[in-house]
Amino acid sequence: MRKNITIAAVVALAMTTAGCTTTGDGGMSGGMKPPSAEARALAEKLTFAENGFVQEQPMQEGGTGRDRLTQDETQKICTDVALSGKPIDDATASKVRALAKASIKYPAGGIKLGDWEKGRVLAWSGFGFRTAHKPDNHKKREPGATCYNCHQLATDRTGGTIGPSLTNYGKIRGSSDEILKYAYDMIYNPNVTFPCTNMPRFGANGVLTEQQIADVMAYLFDPKSLVNK
Amino acid sequence: MLKKILLAIPAAMFAVSVQAAEPSDSPYEVLTELLSKNKDDLYLNQSQQNLMIMPDDPALFTAEEGEALFKEKRGPKNVSLEGCDFGKGPGVLKGAYVEMPRYFADTDKVMTFESRLVHCMVTLQGFDKKDKQVKKRHGSGSDMMKLTTYIAMQSNGMPWNSRLDHPKEKALRDAGEVMFYRRSGPMDFNCATCHGQEGKRIRASVLPYINNPAEWTKAVSWPATRVGQNNVRSTFHRVRGCLYQMRYPNLKQGSETATALISFWTDAARGQPAILPDTKR
């Protein structure tokens, strides 16, 4: 865990000194002019325009399209960071971390590993919460966790590279309480370690249930899991 | 049988070399040149397989059907689309597609290519927006895709050059840029989550990077045959696909919101040659 934080710090430092790089993930490049207040106001207006996105479209979690488009505080701050063309500054990073910390709920019986085989199915599945022209029906199929979109996990399938490779995760990191908590936090709300990261807040945003998180955790840590073979 | 194959091979090679000699006529040639200038580019090089089918791209037939539709007298007013002004004067198609979206005084609106085509079918030919000729937007079999592919092809190889002269054009482009970076939804995504770094992949697909115009020209070169879907697809079809992955609600076609996003995405490819029609995974 300490190693991870050190790595994050080094990366952050490298980005600050490089100057002209992006904010690392999901931001404008340094050479670009941040948008004007008018542009931002028009973007908000168009996002909520009645003839743009279908504001009243019902969403799987309840609520409407408008709710999906409405930003919470973390999303607002991280949009500002993305539009600034600069890496996140220390004060903003602390604020995002604090918001993340406050959002994390731990299972009553402590962090436990579930069923790695179920976790494997979840990690691969891209189903769930998609709406637009063809809404996913959660009554017919359980929403997935989309981890493979961004990560390489077990090598029998090709994963993405937006996030680092998690192959042999448990084998390399072990399964101390410390590393289990670190991984749980990553899945629940990764902004606690990486403020304004590209990784979604699967727990805090209600995408994964407590049981699903336990199953995905097992996929990462169970010695029998294909991730560690 | 064997004889047939042997005959087919030189014929295919011939087709390729003929197309290569005529840059303005051949998307294959435009893409080949782009690839030769960006030999190590991960996103561009994943199109090597698609390159092989390009000389026989089914979109070329879609375009042919589009040409016939374009010239045919149609609709309640029984006129052709040759009187439609896509921004460079009535009936002028060459270079029109790469200059969209643009402002039109007759509607006092910035319009995407698609909304302009609808406008002409309605005002010039007298179609109703609910008629299937206008309403059906997706699939190689739709009139809209046929017409779009034909007209877009008249800009093949020309640099993307969306207009930014009128204040409304600039305002929408700038709002589109903000929307590109605006994070929301259950996954906290903005467009830059997936298109904000170079050479990254979602599963096996290499993603185009917004700040690399050579990649971005290929990214925004629609219509394109999506090999996996066996259909020619439009700009809006791609926007919708990404919004779907972002878990956003449905976006209305022809809305100002869509125009803003498309204005920004076209601007990001400025100056790079359009590949029209393109082939994609």
Side-chain angles (χ1 to χ4, degrees), chain A residues 92-171:
Chain A
T92 312
S94 311
K95 190 159 181 208
V96 173
R97 280 205 179 91
L99 283 167
K101 198 156 188 237
S103 78
I104 301 179
K105 293 190 183 70
Y106 296 94
I111 297 169
K112 293 217 173 64
L113 302 185
D115 178 339
W116 73 265
E117 284 177 307
K118 283 189 184 151
R120 176 171 187 262
V121 174
L122 286 169
W124 180 254
S125 170
F127 184 85
F129 295 96
R130 294 171 305 186
T131 46
H133 54 291
K134 215 170 63 188
D136 288 332
N137 185 344
H138 289 191
K139 289 195 187 90
K140 289 214 172 120
R141 198 174 149 195
E142 176 189 27
T146 69
C147 316
Y148 268 99
N149 283 355
C150 295
H151 293 286
Q152 186 61 53
L153 288 133
T155 51
D156 58 332
R157 288 162 162 172
T158 305
T161 57
I162 292 176
S165 166
L166 304 175
T167 307
N168 286 323
Y169 198 74
K171 209 169 172 178

Side-chain angles (χ1 to χ4, degrees), chain A residues 24 44 46 50-52 54 57 68-69 71 75 79 124 126 128-129 131 134 149 159 161 197 201 205, chain B residues 177-178 181-186 188 190 192 197 200-203 211 240 244 247-250 252 255 257:
Chain A
E44 284 307 295
L46 293 174
E50 286 299 332
N51 65 354
V54 181
Q57 188 175 15
R68 286 264 178 108
L69 295 167
Q71 296 178 303
Q75 290 171 334
T79 298
W124 180 254
F129 295 96
T131 46
K134 215 170 63 188
N149 283 355
T161 57
T197 176
R201 294 170 285 170
N205 283 357
Chain B
E177 178 174 38
V178 174
Y181 293 100
R182 187 184 187 278
R183 299 183 69 163
S184 73
D188 297 327
N190 59 16
Q197 290 165 279
K200 294 286 178 185
R201 283 191 278 111
I202 284 276
R203 302 200 185 186
N211 290 320
R240 189 180 77 170
Y244 188 63
R247 276 75 181 167
Y248 282 21
N250 210 13
K252 292 181 190 163
S255 62
T257 312

